[in-house]
Amino acid sequence: MSLQGRANGLLGAVLGGAVFAALISFATGLLVVGAVLVASASSRAAARELVVWVRSGRLPWWMLLGGLNGAFVVVAQAVTVPLMGVAMFTMAFVAGQVAGGIIVDGTALPPGGRQRLTVLRILGVLIVLGALVVGAAERLDLGVPWWAPVLPFIAGGLVSVQQAFNGRVRAASGSAVVATTANFATGFVALLAATAVVMAGGARWQGFPTAPEEWWLLLGGAFGVIFIGITALTVGRLGVLLLSLFSLFGNLLGALLLDYLLPLPGSLVSVTTVLSAALVLVGIAVTITPASGSRRGRGSRT
């Protein structure tokens, strides 16, 4: 996800707009996962099974719309990463996703059922949020506009819902490929409409990357396929909150490495940033202690 954020952030500047970058990212992802779906007989059978579930009402049709949330995430990446770097984007994204995760886990949306809210879960989330507030405050003091961290915070909250939807689609179809394809298909259609709107408003497509070192900017969608596929496979066992905490720590670690080794003008890796990342790890450790893990086991069999 940190690589996807860097790719989409830079691609937006090349193409002429964040929505254009999001459209290319989703088009690439849809081509990759669509090719896998077409080539796999079991995946095609799973897709037909999903249609049966939706037509019969066993799976609400609106659970196929998780890709709309994913589209918003990619737009947020392309808009804010050039302003504040991958690490700051990830911190705000983490805050939104852990807050959304603990809320969504208390509903019937995740495929593993409701997750019991414990003191350790709440404490772990508070530690994570506190760590991210410390890191974000440093960036805001350096002149990052207030709305820049708000956008990925909202995106992170929406991803918690997206993960629950994708997990339910995967459970209904029995295929992570089908769940990932549905995710990219709905997001791609939404971004086509958004592209038409912004172009009608005067935005102009500036062309694809031409420099040899820029070819990897087109791989954001492929990175997204890997992420969506893994989350669809694991959300039923982990629940949305724990899945969010694990994936977001990996996201944050990758973001720190990118901003340190390949910094953008707005990126910063300071002692405060590193300490914030370490506290996120502490929050994860608190959340996955045995007292909160026992309920996960029951939820995974639901």
Side-chain angles (χ1 to χ4, degrees):
M1 284 295 289
S2 58
L3 284 171
Q4 184 191 47
R6 175 62 67 89
N8 289 334
L10 296 176
L11 185 61
V14 173
L15 299 181
V19 174
F20 298 151
L23 178 66
I24 292 300
S25 180
F26 264 72
T28 304
L30 184 58
L31 285 174
V32 171
V33 74
V36 175
L37 176 64
V38 171
S40 170
S42 60
S43 295
R44 295 196 303 271
R48 292 192 291 269
E49 180 67 15
L50 177 63
V51 172
V52 171
W53 274 63
V54 173
R55 285 181 174 177
S56 66
R58 286 180 289 172
L59 181 75
W61 64 268
W62 43 266
M63 284 197 171
L64 299 176
L65 302 180
L68 300 181
N69 301 332
F72 184 80
V73 171
V74 176
V75 171
Q77 287 174 338
V79 170
T80 61
V81 166
L83 292 176
M84 56 188 185
V86 182
M88 181 61 207
F89 171 89
T90 304
M91 288 184 180
F93 186 80
V94 165
Q97 196 166 353
V98 294
I102 200 170
I103 294 171
V104 172
D105 267 354
T107 71
L109 288 177
R114 287 182 173 87
Q115 301 288 313
R116 181 165 55 89
L117 188 61
T118 66
V119 173
L120 288 176
R121 280 177 175 267
I122 296 173
L123 179 60
V125 170
L126 290 177
I127 291 173
V128 171
L129 292 179
L132 296 171
V133 167
V134 171
E138 179 186 44
R139 299 304 180 89
L140 293 177
D141 287 342
L142 295 175
V144 174
W146 67 267
W147 56 265
V150 171
L151 202 60
F153 180 87
I154 295 172
L158 291 175
V159 162
S160 296
V161 179
Q162 178 191 16
Q163 289 173 345
F165 282 10
N166 289 342
R168 290 287 294 273
V169 173
R170 191 261 174 184
S173 64
S175 170
V177 173
V178 171
T180 307
T181 303
N183 181 89
F184 275 92
T186 55
F188 178 70
V189 171
L191 287 168
L192 275 178
T195 298
V197 170
V198 298
M199 293 190 74
R204 292 292 177 266
W205 186 286
Q206 296 180 3
F208 286 95
T210 55
E213 67 273 11
E214 293 179 336
W215 66 269
W216 74 276
L217 300 182
L218 300 174
L219 296 180
F223 298 143
V225 168
I226 297 171
F227 177 73
I228 297 300
I230 290 174
T231 58
L233 280 171
T234 57
V235 67
R237 291 184 175 273
L238 293 176
V240 174
L241 176 60
L242 288 183
L243 172 62
S244 299
L245 289 172
F246 277 118
S247 64
L248 290 172
F249 180 75
N251 192 354
L252 181 56
L253 180 61
L256 290 172
L257 290 173
L258 280 175
D259 279 355
Y260 179 74
L261 298 174
L262 301 169
L264 292 174
S267 61
L268 170 70
V269 177
S270 64
V271 173
T272 301
T273 307
V274 175
L275 288 176
S276 297
L279 283 175
V280 171
L281 180 58
V282 171
I284 294 173
V286 170
T287 306
I288 63 174
T289 53
S292 61
S294 59
R295 170 60 181 160
R296 283 199 319 276
R298 292 194 296 273
S300 67
R301 295 192 295 269
T302 301

